[in-house]
């Protein structure tokens, strides 16, 4: 069995910030997102081949005369080498990488959490790490009896991705799994590997898909999400209580997100 069968790649979009100085809510203010998204990528083909293809694409951009004066490219080259990052990439680079993503054999699932102060305080004890762990548990809860092994390759994010907090997310997932399937024992062994984003090229694919989803929630902007919709098997709008009935907050290619999912 190829390693791609049991490896997954997790990245996020937005931030986990709720408060500024004096514990004043600053959600939606300049530089602070309205939603935090955690996504999980399954690449269904040889991982090293895809990794090498992305490295070659990165090198081509780094060496291209066309991009030599682009500040975001210059900055990353000076830091050790260009890597794809949707938020900071210019439109031409973004289009090229989205085109590359479309020809990959992949599927992507994401959990989008609207940032609601009262819920954050009550459900997550006002702690950003617990907020992250809760989202992680929702991504994992249905994957604990599908196979013998699951390796989660996660983009580093401060204290949220410390091993103890990831274990907390796994524990929550196990509790949710047991509640949903009381007669079915967990059979999957889960391991975490935390990477600096720039050191694992495969995380860039997860980053781009998270970013495309984020644009829907933050801006009501559909073109990026619509372009890669076939690769996004599921988006859960976790805290949209108005759609809970009959799983209306679960979005698939047959029931896609729309501009109505924009957070006002």
């Amino acid at each position: 069995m190829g390693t791609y069968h049991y490896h997954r790649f997790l990245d996020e979009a937005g931030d986990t910030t709720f408060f500024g100085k004096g514990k004043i809510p600053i959600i939606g203010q300049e530089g602070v997102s309205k939603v935090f998204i955690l996504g999980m990528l399954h690449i269904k083909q040889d991982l090293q081949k895809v990794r090498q293809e992305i490295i070659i694409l990165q090198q081509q951009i780094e060496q291209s005369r066309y991009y030599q004066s682009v500040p975001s490219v210059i900055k990353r080259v000076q830091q050790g080498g260009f890597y794809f990052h949707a938020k900071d990439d210019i439109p031409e680079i973004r289009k090229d990488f989205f085109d590359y993503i479309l020809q990959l054999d992949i599927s992507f699932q994401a959990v989008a959490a609207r940032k609601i102060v009262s819920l954050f305080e009550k459900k997550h004890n006002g702690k950003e790490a617990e907020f992250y762990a809760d989202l992680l548990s929702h991504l994992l809860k249905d994957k604990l009896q599908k196979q013998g092994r699951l390796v989660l390759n996660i983009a580093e994010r401060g204290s949220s991705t410390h091993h103890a907090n990831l274990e907390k997310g796994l524990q929550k997932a196990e509790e949710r799994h047991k509640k949903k399937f009381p007669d079915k024992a967990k059979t999957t062994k889960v391991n975490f590997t935390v990477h600096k984003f720039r050191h694992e090229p495969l995380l860039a694919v997860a980053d781009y898909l998270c970013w495309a989803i984020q644009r829907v929630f933050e801006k009501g902007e559909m073109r990026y999400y619509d372009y890669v919709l076939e690769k996004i098997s599921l988006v859960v709008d976790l805290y949209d209580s108005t759609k809970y009935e009959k799983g209306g907050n679960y979005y698939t290619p047959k029931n896609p997100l729309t501009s109505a999912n924009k957070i006002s």
Side-chain angles (χ1 to χ4, degrees), residues 29-262:
Q29 293 187 20
E30 184 67 29
V32 181
S33 68
K34 301 173 187 174
V35 65
F36 179 67
I37 297 166
L38 187 61
M40 179 184 293
L41 171 71
H42 183 193
I43 299 173
K44 304 176 183 179
Q45 60 190 93
D46 183 81
L47 298 181
Q48 187 52 36
K49 179 177 182 292
V50 177
R51 188 179 286 115
Q52 191 58 40
E53 288 173 353
I54 294 174
I55 290 171
I56 290 170
L57 287 173
Q58 291 174 165
Q59 291 171 341
Q60 288 173 347
I61 288 169
E62 185 172 325
Q63 295 164 8
S64 170
R65 289 177 57 199
Y66 185 75
Y67 296 122
Q68 282 182 356
S69 61
V70 176
S72 62
V73 174
I74 294 170
K75 181 178 179 180
R76 275 172 265 175
V77 170
Q78 290 175 342
Q79 291 173 342
F82 176 81
Y83 57 92
F84 292 103
H85 195 231
K87 180 175 72 71
D88 300 319
D89 288 338
I90 62 172
E92 298 99 314
I93 291 175
R94 205 179 282 144
K95 173 63 164 57
D96 284 348
F97 199 55
F98 273 130
D99 286 344
Y100 172 74
I101 288 171
L102 282 176
Q103 57 88 38
L104 292 174
D105 185 8
I106 60 174
S107 65
F108 188 73
Q109 297 184 352
V111 176
R114 296 163 182 257
K115 289 158 69 174
I116 303 166
V117 170
S118 59
L119 194 62
F120 178 61
E121 294 279 21
K122 182 177 179 180
K123 190 176 182 67
H124 307 114
N125 300 307
K127 296 180 179 178
E128 294 181 21
E130 289 192 22
F131 180 56
Y132 183 102
D134 193 40
L135 265 67
L136 178 61
S137 74
H138 282 280
L139 276 179
L140 295 182
K141 64 183 180 183
D142 294 331
K143 298 172 180 63
L144 298 179
Q145 58 180 125
K146 294 194 173 185
Q147 55 198 15
R149 185 182 181 196
L150 192 62
V151 178
L152 303 179
N153 299 275
I154 300 177
E156 184 180 59
R157 189 186 186 89
S159 62
S160 294
T161 52
H162 286 174
H163 188 77
N165 200 55
L166 297 176
E167 288 290 345
K168 183 184 293 182
L170 176 58
Q171 182 181 351
K172 283 175 175 274
E174 291 172 351
E175 291 168 358
R176 288 195 162 100
H177 176 270
K178 189 173 182 179
K179 186 176 180 179
K180 187 175 181 180
F181 306 106
D183 300 325
K184 296 181 180 179
K186 171 205 166 194
T187 58
T188 302
K189 179 176 175 56
V190 180
N191 298 110
F192 301 101
T193 304
V194 179
H195 303 268
K196 289 190 180 300
F197 181 83
R198 67 181 300 126
H199 295 163
E200 175 47 271
L202 299 179
L203 288 170
V205 180
D207 167 71
Y208 261 63
L209 295 173
C210 276
W211 183 84
I213 294 167
Q214 183 194 24
R215 299 295 289 186
V216 177
F217 285 97
E218 297 279 355
K219 306 286 186 181
E221 187 174 23
M222 301 305 304
R223 65 190 185 108
Y224 304 107
Y225 169 78
D226 287 345
Y227 192 52
V228 292
L229 177 58
E230 67 191 69
K231 303 299 182 182
I232 302 174
S233 59
L234 178 67
V235 178
V236 181
D237 190 351
L238 193 58
Y239 300 135
D240 184 6
S241 58
T242 65
K243 302 281 181 61
Y244 282 172
E245 189 175 346
K246 297 182 180 179
N249 61 324
Y250 281 62
Y251 298 89
T252 66
K254 291 184 178 180
N255 175 41
L257 294 167
T258 70
S259 58
N261 291 97
K262 177 185 175 183

